[in-house]
Amino acid sequence: MNTRFLVKTAALTAFALAPGLASAHTGLGHAEGFAHGFTHPLGGLDHVLAMVMVGLFASQLGGRARWLVPASFVLVMVLGGMLGLAGIAIPFVELGIGLSIVVLGGVVALNLQAGVAAAMALVGFFAVFHGYAHGAEMPESASGLVYGLGFVLATAALHAAGLGCGLLLDGKESAKGALFVRSLGAVAAIAGVGVVSGLV
């Protein structure tokens, strides 16, 4: 079961990466917008860590949370991106992004077993800040729709990577695997403190 899921996750990630890499060289406006959108979440340690933590958190919770928690992040992130595109000001965006790493890393490190609704609300809160940053930093020459599609696919791929890692390590059943997943969360939380303090 886990092996089949990981194969699908790897295939999805490769599928998502392929058009971004190919389109980066075409010079077309839509392709350029997609490439910018896709590479934006991958270009910052803060975004990568937070999104992988969402996947690990979902894997620890298990059941419906494995898809509901990442899906809620993506949906709310899109709303945040629309706010950024519209130029609507949201305070403390960088602080919110940094704290998302600290909090989500801490949740994974402590293996906190939240209800699905509470987990969705938690990741959704932080998704607003990540989405806003993506939207506000969109290049003027890019199409909002294809740029948004790019960062949504990249975010989903990062969530899938975290989820796949958590399932591979069998965080709920294997003591060593669970410890490793929790250690990843602790490292992310520490890195998040560095982001918040400006050291990273």
Side-chain angles (χ1 to χ4, degrees):
M1 177 86 172
N2 286 351
T3 303
R4 187 178 307 158
F5 177 84
L6 289 172
V7 170
K8 289 180 180 178
T9 300
L12 175 64
T13 303
F15 176 76
L17 285 170
L21 294 174
S23 65
H25 302 287
T26 63
L28 300 175
H30 286 306
E32 185 177 306
F34 181 89
H36 275 104
F38 191 88
T39 56
H40 188 265
L42 304 176
L45 181 65
D46 48 1
H47 294 297
V48 171
L49 286 176
M51 294 173 197
V52 170
M53 288 303 109
V54 169
L56 287 175
F57 182 35
S59 75
Q60 287 179 322
L61 295 175
R64 295 182 307 145
R66 289 179 177 167
W67 67 272
L68 284 174
V69 169
S72 65
F73 187 101
V74 170
L75 290 174
V76 178
M77 183 187 71
V78 169
L79 295 176
M82 293 170 74
L83 293 175
L85 283 171
I88 298 172
I90 292 181
F92 309 115
V93 172
E94 291 303 319
L95 178 61
I97 290 172
L99 287 176
S100 72
I101 308 168
V102 177
V103 173
L104 294 172
V107 165
V108 170
L110 297 172
N111 193 21
L112 294 180
Q113 295 300 301
V116 176
M120 291 170 66
L122 177 66
V123 301
F125 172 74
F126 290 120
V128 172
F129 299 110
H130 286 271
Y132 184 88
H134 295 321
E137 295 169 12
M138 183 185 85
E140 289 184 10
S141 61
S143 162
L145 183 61
V146 292
Y147 177 87
L149 179 62
F151 78 68
V152 163
L153 287 176
T155 298
L158 289 169
H159 289 336
L163 183 60
C165 178
L167 293 176
L168 177 65
L169 295 169
D170 220 3
K172 290 182 75 71
E173 298 171 16
S174 165
K176 288 183 180 178
L179 180 60
F180 187 74
V181 169
R182 294 177 69 177
S183 298
L184 290 175
V187 170
I190 293 168
V193 171
V195 170
V196 171
S197 63
L199 296 175
V200 177

